[in-house]
Amino acid sequence: MTSRTIAGMVVEDEGQGECALLLHGLGGTSNSWQPLVPSLGGMRIIRPDLPGSGRSRTPAGSIDIAFIVASLGALISELGVRSVQLIAHSFGTLLAQHLAMHKPEFVSSLILFGPIVEPAEPARERLRARAGLARREGMAVIADQVAAAGLAAGSVETSPAALAFVRESHMRQDAEGFAKLCEALAGANRADASLVRARTLVVTGDEDAISPPTIATALADELPQGRARILSQCGHWATVEKPAECRSLISAFLREG
């Protein structure tokens, strides 16, 4: 595995073969995907820390969806990748939809965990407030809030490592970078799902308060080649709450292609 900085992002690049590009969510890093790596055997796996996240520097000025999508396009170009299987979580799913809409020639398929279509107005206000809280008080209070609200009720008891991971992932974020990404999501508009030509698997948990099953199934219906799967007793962090189930879904979906 190599780790290098491309288009302002620290990127992990490993393996050979067909390419999988993995996009983490708000408060995540490339390590959000570690539980799912076994399902991508025989592929080239590219995992960036998005701008302002994890090990990637926080850009000067504001960040928006267009900026991040352009950075991802530059990453794909720099690596000489002609097409990708695009796998994303949460905020990363909105980026994936925009990338698939604007650069359809790059995207062979999409797998979207905990998909975000477009924040409702109350969610936009909460995101702006969270950005302010991160700047004033740092990431510890954010980490506790997200860990408490983002997981299924039973995960605290049955998957304590998932709780610890979500909390630690947020604790390690740069507060200003996290705040700017909150504001980017608060200002985001939806992609036109009808223009996403790639076949798409949409996955969410039955206890996901951020991306409930109604949102996931509606998105799948809008996508020309979309389908939805709902995981039981699962919250918003499916990749760490239900890794075995997510690995099985990825393997089966990629085999179909």
Side-chain angles (χ1 to χ4, degrees):
M1 181 184 71
T2 60
S3 182
R4 49 185 163 156
T5 299
I6 303 173
M9 297 177 287
V10 176
V11 182
E12 293 184 46
D13 185 359
E14 63 180 308
Q16 301 290 330
E18 190 176 13
C19 182
L21 176 62
L22 281 51
L23 305 179
H24 64 77
L26 186 64
T29 70
S30 62
N31 283 317
S32 299
W33 299 109
Q34 195 61 38
L36 305 190
V37 167
S39 63
L40 300 171
M43 301 184 72
R44 182 182 182 185
I45 305 171
I46 298 172
R47 294 184 278 175
D49 282 357
L50 296 173
S53 297
R55 295 166 294 163
S56 296
R57 64 176 178 81
T58 298
S62 61
I63 303 175
D64 60 15
I65 297 295
F67 173 83
I68 303 174
V69 170
S71 298
L72 292 170
L75 166 64
I76 293 169
S77 178
E78 176 70 19
L79 293 176
V81 175
R82 294 187 176 182
S83 65
V84 297
Q85 309 287 349
L86 192 49
I87 305 175
H89 173 239
S90 192
F91 179 46
T93 68
L94 185 56
L95 301 172
Q97 292 169 68
H98 278 276
L99 186 62
M101 181 179 73
H102 291 294
K103 297 184 179 294
E105 69 277 10
F106 283 143
V107 181
S108 299
S109 70
L110 296 97
I111 303 176
L112 308 177
F113 291 99
I116 291 178
V117 177
E118 182 181 55
E121 193 55 40
R124 294 182 194 275
E125 292 303 316
R126 287 194 297 272
L127 286 161
R128 295 185 184 104
R130 182 164 288 176
L133 183 62
R135 290 186 173 110
R136 291 193 309 272
E137 300 188 27
M139 292 304 299
V141 63
I142 303 293
D144 287 334
Q145 288 180 354
V146 173
L151 302 176
S155 292
V156 175
E157 296 297 328
T158 61
S159 302
L163 177 66
F165 174 85
V166 172
R167 189 173 187 276
E168 178 68 7
S169 183
H170 283 77
M171 290 283 286
R172 293 290 179 176
Q173 301 293 331
D174 173 66
E176 181 62 20
F178 181 83
K180 287 185 176 184
L181 288 171
C182 285
E183 290 166 343
L185 181 53
N189 294 318
R190 66 186 298 145
D192 186 343
S194 68
L195 298 179
V196 177
R197 299 201 302 260
R199 64 191 192 95
T200 306
L201 176 65
V202 181
V203 183
T204 199
D206 61 351
E207 297 183 43
D208 189 337
I210 297 169
S211 179
T214 52
I215 289 179
T217 54
L219 175 60
D221 288 342
E222 290 178 24
L223 292 160
Q225 296 192 73
R227 71 178 82 163
R229 290 292 302 272
I230 311 302
L231 299 177
S232 64
Q233 297 180 304
C234 182
H236 189 58
W237 290 78
T239 58
V240 293
E241 291 181 80
K242 300 287 184 177
E245 291 89 337
C246 291
R247 286 195 296 266
S248 294
L249 287 173
I250 290 173
S251 296
F253 184 75
L254 294 180
R255 281 198 303 270
E256 291 176 9

